[in-house]
Amino acid sequence: MSQSQDAAGETGIRLDDIKVVLVHTSHPGNIGAAARAMKTMGLTRLVLVSPKDYPSGEAFALSSGAHDVLDRAEVVEDIDTAIADCTLVVGASARLRSLPWPLLNPREMADKVAAHPAGSTVALLFGRERSGLTNDELAKCHYHVNIPSNPDYSSLNVAQAVQVLCYELRMRQELAVPQTRTDWGVEWDQPPARAEQLEGLFEHWEKTLVEIDFLDPTNPRTLISKLRRLILRAQPDEVEANILRGMLTQVDKSIRKP
Amino acid sequence: MSQSQDAAGETGIRLDDIKVVLVHTSHPGNIGAAARAMKTMGLTRLVLVSPKDYPSGEAFALSSGAHDVLDRAEVVEDIDTAIADCTLVVGASARLRSLPWPLLNPREMADKVAAHPAGSTVALLFGRERSGLTNDELAKCHYHVNIPSNPDYSSLNVAQAVQVLCYELRMRQELAVPQTRTDWGVEWDQPPARAEQLEGLFEHWEKTLVEIDFLDPTNPRTLISKLRRLILRAQPDEVEANILRGMLTQVDKSIRKP
């Protein structure tokens, strides 16, 4: 079953249908780091267009466990061969071009890719370390994608750019999963406290505060209201409420000791 | 003029108000790569907690033009010093913990940070290369953040994780919808409590619980962790933290009365 079927019970582009195409990469370390970045996000198809120095031990070293992505990588002569079977081609572009071209941010790119018909193949193009993609290469793309960055220092290296775009593709897929998460983002191991339990806690708390002379009798309400507000914001579970209640009981005992 | 004022004509957390805290990093190259990742996204404040090998030529080499971030980096002894002035602390966490803790994805993290009051300082914590943050370190966080990844290969390196989270922070700023509401949906009348204030509160709390024989010496950590988690979830303001602290002082006095 495809990942997107897993994810949302519907067909669509799978991460396996996306090619990451590195064009004329100079440093093999960047190829390895890009493979690693892809694999962390679940992408598997790497295509290298005329890499300067590949295969390379440095690429394997920097792939750090993503050897399988490098082993499967296709090496091709030119960009046309790399994208021949693709129906959607998106090129990473740092610079503003003289000829305006449809431009996406990484999130919009992920939406476009996800909306593309199932069974088709998508290419993401990344250019040379120093100069990126040429105008001719960018003109082969349906869209350009630009990673928002510091205008004074926009030098993401190619592996970092691959990381960010693959992250957005994975996020798009994960967000398509029907949400079964609780309010706190994780499976909680205790049921939330019931109002009657919390009411008992707050009454007990107020009594104890009077006993230890902490509660200002001229203005008790504000203090108790602030405590209520604080604890309620945290939406305590049953065990947490019991811990607080238990503490109060123990305070009561301690102050009554001879 | 602040960056967020640039972005949306309104006040709020600026990228300059966010500290990236690297805890016990082993490889100086990762520190350099993290500095570069930060700078591409416009973040400037790096804090290093007991780095193994720093300052280092390798860090400067891999920072590739982000020397200014390294030059400004603070090196501190412990995590408490790093986060003392912070009012929102988020820890990057790869593993599922035995004690569930409020968990965000990177996008939700960026939303939380953006909703935090202007003028406060936020910390993002990143752990050791191999083992991440310890449970004690994670218990200092209001939230944990997990980068979605391939379940079979989730080994983002620390610089890649910094890149993804900083990218989300920048995206959040670029997409900035004018936010007039704080995190709680209303204008709050008190500033959020700083980490050092909360740390003092938790230490005091633990001592008092031992004094009143409430803390089980065979298993103190879980109880204290649960208290931390409860209070941190509520993101106490300064007055609320003071109320809790004042109560503890009053309990201490009461049990010592003859």
Side-chain angles (χ1 to χ4, degrees):
Chain A
M1 195 159 69
S2 81
Q3 282 165 296
S4 60
Q5 283 173 325
D6 281 347
E10 34 121 19
T11 55
I13 284 286
R14 302 172 309 150
L15 296 177
D16 281 339
D17 296 329
I18 303 166
K19 287 183 184 178
V20 170
V21 181
L22 305 185
V23 181
H24 292 294
T25 314
S26 298
H27 300 296
N30 287 333
I31 296 175
R36 178 180 181 172
M38 287 171 61
K39 189 172 178 183
T40 60
M41 296 295 126
L43 280 83
T44 56
R45 295 180 66 180
L46 176 61
V47 184
L48 306 171
V49 177
S50 292
K52 199 170 165 193
D53 176 14
Y54 191 85
S56 143
E58 199 186 339
F60 277 83
L62 274 154
S63 73
S64 178
H67 290 185
D68 51 337
V69 174
L70 292 180
D71 288 339
R72 285 188 54 190
E74 277 180 83
V75 180
V76 298
E77 279 293 309
D78 56 46
I79 203 168
D80 287 317
T81 309
I83 64 174
D85 62 339
C86 297
T87 53
L88 178 63
V89 179
V90 183
S93 170
R95 293 171 286 163
L96 287 177
R97 303 282 149 182
S98 48
L99 180 64
W101 208 269
L103 183 68
L104 306 170
N105 68 36
R107 194 155 307 158
E108 293 164 338
M109 177 280 297
D111 287 341
K112 282 281 179 224
V113 170
H116 207 62
S120 37
T121 304
V122 173
L124 293 184
L125 306 187
F126 297 85
R128 295 148 195 82
E129 282 92 341
R130 288 205 169 268
S131 54
L133 296 166
T134 64
N135 284 339
D136 280 354
E137 288 159 357
L138 283 164
K140 296 180 190 293
C141 301
H142 297 79
Y143 297 95
H144 298 164
V145 57
N146 177 254
I147 300 176
S149 61
N150 180 353
D152 300 327
Y153 182 77
S154 56
S155 76
L156 266 81
N157 96 352
V158 63
Q160 288 170 312
V162 168
Q163 183 74 65
V164 168
L165 296 193
C166 292
Y167 158 76
E168 278 288 4
L169 290 165
R170 182 161 202 100
M171 270 298 271
R172 183 64 178 67
Q173 188 191 67
E174 302 238 344
L175 295 178
V177 181
Q179 287 287 336
T180 53
R181 311 185 326 160
T182 65
D183 206 27
W184 301 115
V186 287
E187 285 303 310
W188 213 252
D189 56 352
Q190 299 295 336
R194 283 161 296 110
E196 62 184 348
Q197 186 185 8
L198 292 175
E199 212 48 48
L201 168 67
F202 294 132
E203 275 168 34
H204 190 160
W205 207 328
E206 183 165 354
K207 265 208 293 215
T208 301
L209 292 182
V210 170
E211 278 205 69
I212 66 172
D213 299 321
F214 184 71
L215 202 59
D216 177 2
T218 65
N219 195 5
R221 285 293 118 204
T222 304
L223 185 88
I224 292 295
S225 292
K226 285 192 174 172
L227 277 178
R228 280 179 172 274
R229 184 183 66 171
L230 175 71
I231 298 301
L232 289 172
R233 281 209 310 276
Q235 296 181 39
D237 66 35
E238 281 186 4
V239 170
E240 290 166 341
N242 284 338
I243 289 173
L244 294 175
R245 190 78 191 259
M247 277 175 10
L248 295 171
T249 303
Q250 197 61 27
V251 169
D252 296 346
K253 278 188 203 161
S254 300
I255 60 181
R256 279 180 206 127
K257 268 187 197 160
Chain B
M1 194 160 67
S2 81
Q3 281 165 297
S4 60
Q5 282 173 326
D6 282 346
E10 37 118 21
T11 55
I13 283 286
R14 301 172 310 147
L15 296 178
D16 281 339
D17 295 329
I18 302 167
K19 287 183 184 179
V20 170
V21 181
L22 304 185
V23 181
H24 292 295
T25 315
S26 298
H27 301 296
N30 286 333
I31 295 173
R36 177 180 182 174
M38 286 170 61
K39 189 171 178 184
T40 61
M41 296 294 126
L43 280 82
T44 56
R45 295 179 67 180
L46 177 62
V47 184
L48 306 171
V49 177
S50 292
K52 199 169 164 192
D53 176 13
Y54 191 86
S56 143
E58 198 186 339
F60 276 83
L62 274 154
S63 73
S64 176
H67 291 185
D68 51 339
V69 174
L70 291 180
D71 288 339
R72 285 187 53 191
E74 275 179 83
V75 179
V76 299
E77 279 291 308
D78 55 48
I79 204 168
D80 287 317
T81 309
I83 65 175
D85 62 339
C86 297
T87 54
L88 177 63
V89 180
V90 183
S93 171
R95 294 171 285 163
L96 288 177
R97 304 280 148 183
S98 48
L99 181 65
W101 208 270
L103 183 69
L104 307 170
N105 68 36
R107 194 155 307 157
E108 293 165 337
M109 176 281 297
D111 287 341
K112 280 281 176 222
V113 170
H116 209 61
S120 35
T121 303
V122 173
L124 293 184
L125 306 187
F126 296 85
R128 295 146 194 83
E129 282 92 341
R130 289 204 167 268
S131 54
L133 296 166
T134 64
N135 286 338
D136 279 355
E137 288 159 359
L138 283 164
K140 295 181 188 294
C141 300
H142 296 80
Y143 297 94
H144 298 164
V145 57
N146 177 253
I147 300 176
S149 61
N150 181 354
D152 300 327
Y153 184 75
S154 57
S155 75
L156 267 81
N157 96 351
V158 63
Q160 287 170 312
V162 168
Q163 183 73 66
V164 167
L165 296 192
C166 292
Y167 158 75
E168 278 287 3
L169 290 164
R170 181 158 203 100
M171 271 296 272
R172 184 63 181 68
Q173 187 190 69
E174 303 237 344
L175 299 177
V177 189
Q179 273 272 350
T180 50
R181 314 188 326 161
T182 63
D183 208 27
W184 302 116
V186 288
E187 284 302 312
W188 211 252
D189 56 352
Q190 299 295 336
R194 284 160 295 110
E196 62 186 345
Q197 187 184 8
L198 293 176
E199 209 51 44
L201 168 66
F202 294 131
E203 273 168 35
H204 190 159
W205 207 327
E206 184 166 352
K207 265 208 290 213
T208 302
L209 292 183
V210 170
E211 278 207 68
I212 66 173
D213 298 321
F214 183 71
L215 201 59
D216 175 4
T218 66
N219 194 5
R221 284 290 122 204
T222 304
L223 185 90
I224 293 295
S225 290
K226 284 190 175 172
L227 276 179
R228 279 179 171 275
R229 183 183 66 172
L230 175 73
I231 298 301
L232 289 171
R233 282 212 307 277
Q235 295 184 39
D237 66 36
E238 281 185 4
V239 171
E240 290 165 341
N242 285 337
I243 289 173
L244 293 175
R245 191 79 192 258
M247 277 175 12
L248 294 171
T249 303
Q250 198 60 28
V251 168
D252 296 345
K253 277 188 204 159
S254 300
I255 60 181
R256 277 177 207 132
K257 266 185 195 159

